[in-house]
Amino acid sequence: MSAPIPVIIDTDIGFDVDDVWALAFALRCPELDVRLVVSDSGNTHYGARVAAKLLSEAGRDDVPVGIGIPLDDIAQTHAAWLGDYALDSYRGPVHADGVGAICDTIMQSSEPVTLICIGPLPNIAAALSRQPRIVRNARFIGMHGSLRRGYLGAPKPMREYNVRKHPLAAQHVFATPWDITITPLDSCGSVVLDGQRFAGIAASRDPLTRAVMANHFGWFDAVSECPVLKDIDPNERSSILYDTVAVYLAFAEQCLEMETLPVRISNDGKTLIDPAGQSMHCAVGWRDYPAFVDLLTSRLQ
């Protein structure tokens, strides 16, 4: 087996629960070497606390945590699980300047770093502005956009959250000439664990998986008034696990249908296939969806 791929995870963890599943998946992938986790958007101190506690539950409190740029006031849907956990209790390094930590980690690495970006992109846009040379030693993999299909499998593109939240930041990142791969809603919008797969994870005694399940149930309680979720039984299935596909793309593509397309971001947050756009690798569908969810299940059980 080749050496693990160095990765940085930039995440708006603490809002939608799929970030928790994605971070746990990354920590359980021997193909990846998680070098840094940085919180983005929202209350980034709170997000860093969620990431740090999850890393501690995984026995990975050697991984540095960075606090990203705080830009929004978003719901703290993991507060019940987080409790009074304080960053001061985290045994690993904590960087108050998360953007600086991204730049330093990339520039100081002796091998290329993969940025796994599973939230809005102000941190990455700021890193590109602060240290443009990071593109020489990094590639970008993001859960962003909607090219031909939208939320819940809608047969038309929609303004996807991670792009429309801060479209100017996304424009900057997507227009930068570097190695870009994305999983838009076309592929990641269909990922759910249910049936025996979900039951196996729910029954796991692994401490990290137990923490994921605690966040799963706590998140469903916190968003119980959301109309889209009212008919979902959290005892039977997961929410949509968008971000896990970006983690998978950091080390493999075999399960996905990939196209190289010119893509640009509009001022109002649309992700457009446009000849004037930057050429990037796009996961537009599935070749072997069962194989992917089987892999995800096996890594988290």
Side-chain angles (χ1 to χ4, degrees):
M1 182 177 177
S2 58
I5 299 164
V7 300
I8 295 170
I9 299 177
D10 186 73
T11 169
D12 60 343
I13 195 167
F15 182 44
D16 195 339
V17 72
D18 62 324
D19 294 76
V20 169
W21 289 84
L23 178 54
F25 181 36
L27 294 171
R28 288 292 182 260
C29 287
E31 300 89 348
L32 304 179
D33 174 14
V34 180
R35 299 275 181 93
L36 174 68
V37 178
V38 181
S39 57
D40 77 57
S41 68
N43 181 331
T44 48
H45 186 271
Y46 153 77
R49 289 169 59 213
V50 175
K53 184 175 180 182
L54 195 69
L55 287 162
S56 295
E57 293 287 344
R60 290 301 313 275
D61 46 14
D62 59 303
V63 176
V65 172
I67 302 171
I69 302 169
L71 289 177
D72 314 292
D73 183 18
I74 57 177
Q76 297 183 16
T77 58
H78 295 58
W81 175 78
L82 185 60
D84 60 359
Y85 180 88
L87 272 179
D88 289 346
S89 67
Y90 187 63
R91 292 189 292 184
V94 176
H95 299 283
D97 178 10
V99 172
I102 290 171
C103 295
D104 292 343
T105 301
I106 294 171
M107 296 302 295
Q108 294 169 11
S109 177
S110 60
E111 51 193 323
V113 175
T114 296
L115 273 166
I116 302 175
C117 301
I118 51 176
L121 293 170
N123 286 345
I124 309 306
L128 289 167
S129 294
R130 188 183 301 188
Q131 180 50 273
R133 290 184 297 155
I134 63 173
V135 301
R136 301 178 187 175
N137 202 38
R139 62 173 179 147
F140 173 94
I141 294 179
M143 189 271 106
H144 296 92
S146 169
L147 298 175
R148 299 177 182 126
R149 302 192 72 84
Y151 285 104
L152 301 176
K156 62 179 181 179
M158 296 178 175
R159 294 194 307 150
E160 184 273 321
Y161 175 84
N162 285 344
V163 172
R164 67 175 171 81
K165 190 69 175 176
H166 292 288
L168 296 183
Q171 281 182 341
H172 185 179
V173 172
F174 276 47
T176 296
W178 58 336
D179 186 347
I180 300 177
T181 298
I182 60 171
T183 172
L185 297 178
D186 308 58
S187 50
C188 68
S190 61
V191 177
V192 171
L193 295 180
D194 55 12
Q196 290 302 309
R197 295 184 181 99
F198 182 78
I201 290 174
S204 173
R205 305 312 303 170
D206 179 87
L208 175 58
T209 305
R210 299 307 303 162
V212 171
M213 292 308 299
N215 277 281
H216 163 81
F217 288 114
W219 180 81
F220 267 97
D221 286 343
V223 300
S224 60
E225 298 304 313
C226 179
V228 176
L229 300 174
K230 283 190 175 295
D231 294 330
I232 296 177
D233 183 351
N235 294 294
E236 300 292 334
R237 55 158 285 185
S238 72
S239 58
I240 300 175
L241 304 181
Y242 308 94
D243 293 340
T244 59
V245 185
V247 173
Y248 172 74
L249 280 168
F251 64 90
E253 295 182 349
Q254 294 93 321
C255 290
L256 289 152
E257 292 181 5
M258 304 297 299
E259 290 185 35
T260 300
L261 297 168
V263 175
R264 72 173 179 88
I265 306 298
S266 69
N267 291 339
D268 60 349
K270 295 185 180 74
T271 313
L272 305 173
I273 300 173
D274 186 326
Q278 169 91 305
S279 179
M280 59 191 68
H281 315 292
C282 303
V284 296
W286 290 97
R287 288 182 177 174
D288 195 341
Y289 175 73
F292 170 73
V293 288
D294 283 346
L295 175 67
L296 180 58
T297 301
S298 69
R299 296 289 170 89
L300 292 176
Q301 279 184 327

